[in-house]
Amino acid sequence: MTTTSMKDVARAAGVSVGTVSNVLNRPEAVAEETRTRVQAAIAELGYVRNDSARQLRAGRSRTVAVVVLDVANPFFTDVVRGAEPLIESAGGVVTVCDSGEDVRRERRHLEILEEQRVLGLLITPVDDTSASWIERLSGHDIPLVLVDRGAGRHPHCSVAVDDVHGGRLAARHLADRGHARIAFVGGPSSIPQVADRFAGCREVCEERGVALEVFTTAGLNFAAGREAVEQMLGLEERPTAMFCANDLVALGALQALTMHGVKVPQECAIIGYDDIDFAAAAAVPLSSIRQPRAQLGRTAAQLLFDEIGEGAGHTHRNVVFQPELIARASTAQES
Amino acid sequence: MTTTSMKDVARAAGVSVGTVSNVLNRPEAVAEETRTRVQAAIAELGYVRNDSARQLRAGRSRTVAVVVLDVANPFFTDVVRGAEPLIESAGGVVTVCDSGEDVRRERRHLEILEEQRVLGLLITPVDDTSASWIERLSGHDIPLVLVDRGAGRHPHCSVAVDDVHGGRLAARHLADRGHARIAFVGGPSSIPQVADRFAGCREVCEERGVALEVFTTAGLNFAAGREAVEQMLGLEERPTAMFCANDLVALGALQALTMHGVKVPQECAIIGYDDIDFAAAAAVPLSSIRQPRAQLGRTAAQLLFDEIGEGAGHTHRNVVFQPELIARASTAQES
DNA sequence: CAGACTTTTTGAATCGATTCATGAAGGGAT
DNA sequence: ATCCCTTCATGAATCGATTCAAAAAGTCTG
């Protein structure tokens, strides 16, 4: 075949393969004259390194994989954006895997990543059944950092946002606004983030005597929000406010409400979660719980490289950020 | 190290490495009894195939890379979603690379992908200077399909949407609505999609005697739309409508106009491009030019595998889809 | 039971880059 | 001329899976 290997370059430049390798990896160890001759041959032949061979020898790839629940969710793209600079400046290559909130897809990704002997992993697990697979990778010496998921009992580094507290913030805000009957929209409840946000919400509702209606959805996207609204509008005693497990769900709900002529916030207030860029631009600017998305990614990457650098003597760190309430029109005071 | 190789499995099962390989790749060629013994050993040792070694031997990886201008743009995530099922069902692995509309980033990705000997490539090139790099890959026998970019003079398969026509649709719609002075917002103009959409728009404006103001932006995102509006509001003779090169720009513009108390569509109409999900959910539901996003991806993947399958005797195909006007509130009749 | 097949298993060769012990060449200093 | 150092270049060994010609083990026939 036409693929040129180092051997071809070596022959063309009249040197050994070892020297060609040195030109590529430690150019300072090669005499000026030889180096330029080899580089000329490389250019001449259009030689391109074969990464598989390199990896095989090295035993590891340079790839850091980021496994997220939904690439179409701006929350995750921002997390990835936050992680990228650090990874790339460390000579790594970023690859993004979308589990689509599906354990099977997640597992397939993990299998492939393990076969690829990736350098490390930043992962937001789909749910608790992911744990055994994650332990497996970890047991095979693939360092990983859990993202947006307090490690809790898992022996790993992690970065997370206090979702229980975020849930409290949202519920408290709605209670302060005088809502006595609210809806929680999100799911599946196996997703830890959903469960935590709900937990915080319920805690406050009980404390403040607010009635809580739960709409469990199949996913955390536009369609889920729309469907939940359809269901809710059928009720005789309708909640006066909704707390959606993320902004996509909230935007879907907002759209459906608007379509049905329900005024937001007058007839139904909405608060989302994540504060993605679209939230502020929505039909009615959306109140939300902001998470430090980019910083989450950046810190995760940092922890990963710390772990890689420290090797065996590494002790895991768990970083928790606090969320912040961003109040906008969608929960403006009823008056 | 702890990494177990096929040799270890072979020893544990009391067979040769060739047999282990067969169990993994052509199980039907191995006697039942031997097969189960080997599989037991694999499970026992927690053996995981080393993909680098496999690829080295095979000469090619199973990865199909999709190089997009902006992963945070729902347009592209939808294109990727459209391509994925076909790629995965063909045994491929999808990897998404974000060029961020930056030729240098794009080039770095292409270098890495070439070193990885990827199976194929779906790419939306940043601009025409990308061409030489693309030819290089192609010359090294990496099949590729241009996405959202009429191949024109390039000898490649491609799927595209007729952007010039899309530009016409938008401009015609605004002209029909009685606008006599409109703004085109988008950039950089080196991006072919931007240039085409503009070309169609200008054509119609000249034909219909509509004054056209151009705001060239540095990118196609939220911030670009906001900045363009700031600029526009400074003008003494302000356009009565904006055609934004994509929906993200349009949503940014919409947000900025609303913040400045400019009524949409009464004081300034807006039409975007792509018709992403967020468009319909915007502050004022956004008129847009719809592209068949998922189908674009699906068809691209199809063409790629056709090319891989047909090998040398392959003739390139260029598929062009037609865009469609979606009129919503942001361009509702002035009355 | 020899001979002719068929079914399984073997193990050496191969892919291409990296590494490293070894040696060659060049430069001073004596 | 000899010895010691430094600077460069060499090429065989290695990583782990796949492939395939050839050997081994089984099956069937007459």
Side-chain angles (χ1 to χ4, degrees):
Chain A
M1 251 301 288
T2 42
T3 26
T4 45
S5 73
M6 259 180 51
K7 225 191 297 185
D8 304 312
V9 174
R11 192 176 320 119
V15 297
S16 73
V17 291
T19 300
V20 177
S21 175
N22 281 334
V23 169
L24 259 34
N25 301 309
R26 304 133 74 212
E28 75 285 357
V30 179
E32 168 96 32
E33 194 265 337
T34 317
R35 195 192 321 148
T36 52
R37 190 149 40 94
V38 171
Q39 279 161 345
I42 289 177
E44 169 79 24
L45 300 177
Y47 166 73
V48 176
R49 250 220 212 71
N50 183 324
D51 208 42
S52 331
R54 195 145 92 117
Q55 273 176 210
L56 172 56
R57 192 64 235 264
R60 284 231 155 285
S61 91
R62 304 174 281 159
T63 302
V64 172
V66 187
V67 184
V68 301
L69 295 180
D70 177 11
V71 278
N73 184 339
F75 171 76
F76 288 109
T77 55
D78 285 346
V79 171
V80 174
R81 287 258 162 89
E84 262 170 351
L86 216 147
I87 296 173
E88 285 175 3
S89 71
V93 176
V94 179
T95 200
V96 180
C97 303
D98 185 4
S99 64
E101 295 171 11
D102 174 357
V103 192
R104 301 229 316 280
R105 270 183 69 84
E106 179 184 62
R107 208 186 69 174
R108 191 171 130 74
H109 279 301
L110 293 181
E111 282 172 1
I112 291 173
L113 293 174
E114 192 176 4
E115 290 188 354
Q116 293 180 161
R117 302 288 193 271
V118 291
L119 185 56
L121 210 54
L122 308 184
I123 180 170
T124 302
V126 173
D127 63 29
D128 285 332
T129 65
S130 311
S132 65
W133 268 88
I134 291 179
E135 293 318 317
R136 181 190 165 119
L137 290 214
S138 193
H140 285 6
D141 292 316
I142 296 187
L144 56 89
V145 175
L146 298 175
V147 175
D148 200 26
R149 185 74 205 106
R153 52 197 185 291
H154 305 299
H156 298 294
C157 282
S158 70
V159 296
V161 174
D162 187 340
D163 279 324
V164 176
H165 187 59
R168 280 190 214 115
L169 287 178
R172 211 170 282 157
H173 177 61
L174 293 178
D176 288 347
R177 287 280 189 266
H179 295 281
R181 173 173 218 87
I182 73 179
F184 176 87
V185 182
S189 43
S190 58
I191 295 186
Q193 286 86 337
V194 174
D196 285 357
R197 289 165 200 181
F198 175 66
C201 175
R202 189 176 46 186
E203 180 191 314
V204 170
C205 285
E206 284 172 359
E207 208 176 286
R208 305 275 289 257
V210 171
L212 181 56
E213 199 94 47
V214 179
F215 295 88
T216 302
T217 62
L220 291 174
N221 45 40
F222 252 72
R226 285 197 207 108
E227 285 157 22
V229 165
E230 301 295 341
Q231 238 183 294
M232 196 180 80
L233 292 181
L235 296 181
E236 65 287 9
E237 202 170 7
R238 197 196 289 166
T240 61
M242 315 174 65
F243 169 30
C244 298
N246 78 6
D247 284 347
L248 295 184
V249 175
L251 290 172
L254 178 56
Q255 189 181 2
L257 286 175
T258 308
M259 258 176 44
H260 283 87
V262 178
K263 289 235 168 72
V264 176
Q266 294 84 349
E267 299 174 50
C268 185
I270 303 188
I271 184 166
Y273 206 107
D274 287 349
D275 191 32
I276 60 179
D277 282 346
F278 290 110
V284 180
L286 189 68
S287 297
S288 195
I289 304 296
R290 175 180 295 169
Q291 313 200 58
R293 309 185 285 281
Q295 192 168 8
L296 221 45
R298 200 174 330 123
T299 308
Q302 185 61 60
L303 291 179
L304 183 69
F305 281 104
D306 285 353
E307 178 161 355
I308 292 174
E310 295 170 14
H314 172 81
T315 43
H316 296 298
R317 287 197 286 147
N318 305 102
V319 180
V320 177
F321 294 100
Q322 287 305 318
E324 181 190 356
L325 169 70
I326 305 291
R328 296 202 182 84
S330 74
T331 56
Q333 197 71 45
E334 307 181 72
S335 56
Chain B
M1 253 300 290
T2 41
T3 26
T4 45
S5 73
M6 260 180 51
K7 223 188 303 183
D8 303 313
V9 174
R11 193 177 319 122
V15 298
S16 73
V17 291
T19 301
V20 178
S21 175
N22 281 336
V23 170
L24 259 34
N25 302 308
R26 302 134 71 214
E28 75 285 357
V30 179
E32 167 95 31
E33 193 266 336
T34 316
R35 197 191 321 149
T36 52
R37 190 149 40 93
V38 171
Q39 279 162 344
I42 289 178
E44 167 81 25
L45 300 176
Y47 166 73
V48 176
R49 252 218 210 73
N50 183 324
D51 207 42
S52 331
R54 194 143 94 117
Q55 279 183 39
L56 173 57
R57 191 66 235 264
R60 283 229 157 285
S61 91
R62 306 174 281 159
T63 301
V64 173
V66 187
V67 185
V68 302
L69 296 180
D70 177 12
V71 278
N73 184 340
F75 171 75
F76 287 109
T77 54
D78 285 347
V79 171
V80 174
R81 288 257 163 86
E84 265 170 348
L86 217 146
I87 296 174
E88 286 174 5
S89 69
V93 177
V94 179
T95 199
V96 179
C97 303
D98 183 4
S99 65
E101 295 171 12
D102 174 356
V103 191
R104 301 229 314 279
R105 269 182 71 83
E106 180 183 63
R107 208 187 69 176
R108 190 171 131 74
H109 277 303
L110 294 181
E111 282 173 359
I112 292 172
L113 293 173
E114 192 175 4
E115 290 188 355
Q116 292 181 163
R117 303 286 193 271
V118 291
L119 185 57
L121 210 55
L122 307 184
I123 180 171
T124 302
V126 173
D127 63 29
D128 285 332
T129 65
S130 311
S132 65
W133 268 88
I134 291 178
E135 293 318 318
R136 182 190 165 117
L137 290 215
S138 193
H140 284 9
D141 293 314
I142 297 187
L144 56 89
V145 175
L146 298 174
V147 175
D148 200 26
R149 185 74 205 104
R153 53 199 183 291
H154 305 300
H156 299 294
C157 282
S158 70
V159 296
V161 174
D162 188 342
D163 279 324
V164 176
H165 187 59
R168 279 190 213 113
L169 287 178
R172 211 172 280 156
H173 177 62
L174 294 178
D176 287 347
R177 288 283 189 262
H179 294 282
R181 174 171 218 90
I182 73 178
F184 175 87
V185 181
S189 41
S190 57
I191 296 184
Q193 286 85 337
V194 174
D196 285 358
R197 289 165 199 182
F198 176 66
C201 174
R202 189 174 48 188
E203 180 191 315
V204 169
C205 285
E206 284 172 359
E207 208 176 286
R208 304 276 289 255
V210 171
L212 180 56
E213 199 93 46
V214 180
F215 295 87
T216 302
T217 62
L220 291 174
N221 44 41
F222 253 71
R226 284 195 208 111
E227 285 158 21
V229 165
E230 299 296 339
Q231 239 182 295
M232 198 181 80
L233 292 180
L235 295 180
E236 66 285 9
E237 203 169 5
R238 200 196 286 166
T240 60
M242 313 175 66
F243 168 29
C244 298
N246 79 4
D247 284 347
L248 295 185
V249 175
L251 290 172
L254 177 56
Q255 190 181 3
L257 287 174
T258 308
M259 258 177 44
H260 283 86
V262 177
K263 290 235 168 71
V264 178
Q266 295 84 348
E267 300 174 50
C268 185
I270 302 188
I271 184 167
Y273 206 106
D274 287 347
D275 191 32
I276 60 179
D277 281 345
F278 291 110
V284 180
L286 190 68
S287 297
S288 194
I289 304 296
R290 177 180 294 171
Q291 313 199 59
R293 308 185 286 280
Q295 192 169 6
L296 221 45
R298 198 173 332 120
T299 309
Q302 186 59 62
L303 291 180
L304 183 69
F305 282 103
D306 284 355
E307 177 161 355
I308 292 173
E310 294 170 14
H314 172 79
T315 43
H316 297 299
R317 286 197 287 147
N318 305 101
V319 179
V320 177
F321 294 99
Q322 288 304 319
E324 179 190 357
L325 169 71
I326 306 293
R328 295 200 183 87
S330 75
T331 57
Q333 197 74 42
E334 306 182 72
S335 58

